[in-house]
Amino acid sequence: MSTKILITGITGFVGSHMADFLLEKKEVHVYGLKRWNLSRLRNIRHLLDNGRVTLLDCDITDPIGTRDVIEKIRPDKIFHFAAESFVSPSWLHPSHYMDVNYKGTVNLLDALRQAKINPRFHIAGSGEEYGEIHESELPITEKTVLRPVNPYAVSKVAQDLIGYVYHKSYGMNVIRTRSFNHEGPRRDRVFGIPSYAWQIARIEAGKQPPVVYTGHLDDKRNFTHVRDLVEAYWLAMELCEPGEPYVIGSENPENIHTFGEVLNQLIAMSTVKNIDIQTNPEFVRPTAVPRLIGDKTKFYNLTGWEPKIGFKKILEDTLEYWRDFVRKDLY
Ligand code: NDP
């Protein structure tokens, strides 16, 4: 009998890669939630005719619909990736971010409680929860103080902590990770690296003058390939203690860069030389998060996980993805 694994947010960046990862395993059936009239299917088009994938319509902000799908599937494991995940619009829609990221998570947890099932339930928390971190506090551990500085981050703290509350109150098997920037094919082009790669691909195709428009370039992050991250999430599900937080980052200097450094590396990889960089004030956020570098020691000690894919490959895969996208004129 197959293990029933539910992925919320399967149409998104991480959820679609998680589905690919799970389907490499035998005896797994993947259930994915999508929104009936909103979801973009391009990230999972290759899975639509796969007999081991079942898609169900559900907006997680609706408690009734959420309860129905949980009762219908009665999953053995849940990877919860459905979220409003982009920081910038969260200042315009702070309530909506709480509705999806916090209340949506409550709806799922409570649906499990009411269905009287207790599968492992993974919550994909974010390094953004730490927010305003001083140089002396690096690298970030599970004990570092949370000081979120944007509405997205506040909603992720709330999501993370309500997971803890459901674990503490009802003994639910909530697995809490806090991961840092993951990148690779399929990440939407509103985010930094995909945006640079998309613009460079358009410049190469002659569809845009040789200028890349950016937001703030000084912020420093640790970057991990999404394929490494979904493996980490799988290990978290198998080996981590419910209720405990786990930082999944990389202190490896090869993976730590400012966005400006990343952009320069991408430009160096382009077939077009002499590409300019210009700041677009519209992309600059009201608050910045200057540095986020996670210390994965606690997670590593339990799982032995380390990223296998190098930083150059992250950039190559991303650039190739957007070149193909532009070639096929998909937008
Ligand atoms: P994406 O924005 O690519 O995907 C979000 C997914 O959530 C989409 O499938 C979207 O579906 C779905 N969704 C949004 N609103 C709803 C709703 N109301 N009901 C049901 N589904 C909904 O995000 P990522 O894949 O990058 O992120 C996944 C998770 O990982 C998020 O929780 C994010 O905060 C977290 N995370 C991500 C990091 C990263 O670097 N990518 C870093 C740390 C944490 P639709 O197609 O319908 O829009």
Side-chain angles (χ1 to χ4, degrees), residues 241-252:
E241 276 298 312
E244 283 286 301
Y246 294 92
V247 164
I248 307 180
S250 173
E251 318 85 292
N252 181 345

Side-chain angles (χ1 to χ4, degrees), residues 70-221:
I70 291 294
E71 193 53 70
K72 202 174 286 170
I73 306 167
R74 298 184 74 81
D76 300 307
K77 293 176 183 169
I78 302 176
F79 289 97
H80 174 33
F81 299 123
E84 284 294 350
S85 70
F86 183 37
V87 171
S88 296
S90 73
W91 277 277
L92 285 176
H93 310 287
S95 301
H96 177 65
Y97 274 60
M98 283 304 267
D99 284 347
V100 178
N101 296 352
Y102 171 73
K103 284 194 202 163
T105 303
V106 171
N107 290 339
L108 284 159
L109 287 166
D110 220 69
L112 295 172
R113 190 174 70 85
Q114 292 187 36
K116 297 190 172 34
I117 52 174
N118 194 2
R120 288 204 159 214
F121 180 93
H122 171 242
I123 293 182
S126 166
E128 280 281 338
E129 293 175 50
Y130 291 100
E132 194 177 2
I133 291 294
H134 309 292
E135 197 74 50
S136 61
E137 294 174 297
L138 294 177
I140 292 166
T141 73
E142 293 75 8
K143 292 196 169 74
T144 307
V145 178
L146 303 176
R147 292 188 209 98
V149 292
N150 58 63
Y152 163 76
V154 171
S155 73
K156 293 299 286 184
V157 171
Q159 176 192 51
D160 186 352
L161 296 185
I162 198 64
Y164 177 69
V165 168
Y166 269 72
H167 166 73
K168 242 353 222 181
S169 311
Y170 308 117
M172 291 179 67
N173 288 316
V174 178
I175 305 296
R176 300 163 59 207
T177 60
R178 295 176 190 151
S179 59
F180 294 69
N181 287 59
H182 22 300
E183 303 290 344
R186 304 183 198 154
R187 192 166 205 211
D188 202 279
R189 66 179 170 83
V190 293
F191 296 90
I193 295 182
S195 164
Y196 312 152
W198 174 67
Q199 292 182 70
I200 289 170
R202 280 173 52 81
I203 291 166
E204 289 177 351
K207 295 185 174 178
Q208 174 173 330
V211 181
V212 174
Y213 295 94
T214 75
H216 201 62
L217 286 176
D218 297 335
D219 295 344
K220 197 182 270 187
R221 295 288 185 272

Side-chain angles (χ1 to χ4, degrees), residues 14 27 37 55-56 86 92 141 153 240 294 296 312-313:
V14 184
E27 309 294 321
N37 61 346
L55 298 178
L56 292 140
F86 183 37
L92 285 176
T141 73
C240 285
K296 66 178 183 319
K312 188 157 173 266
K313 177 79 175 141

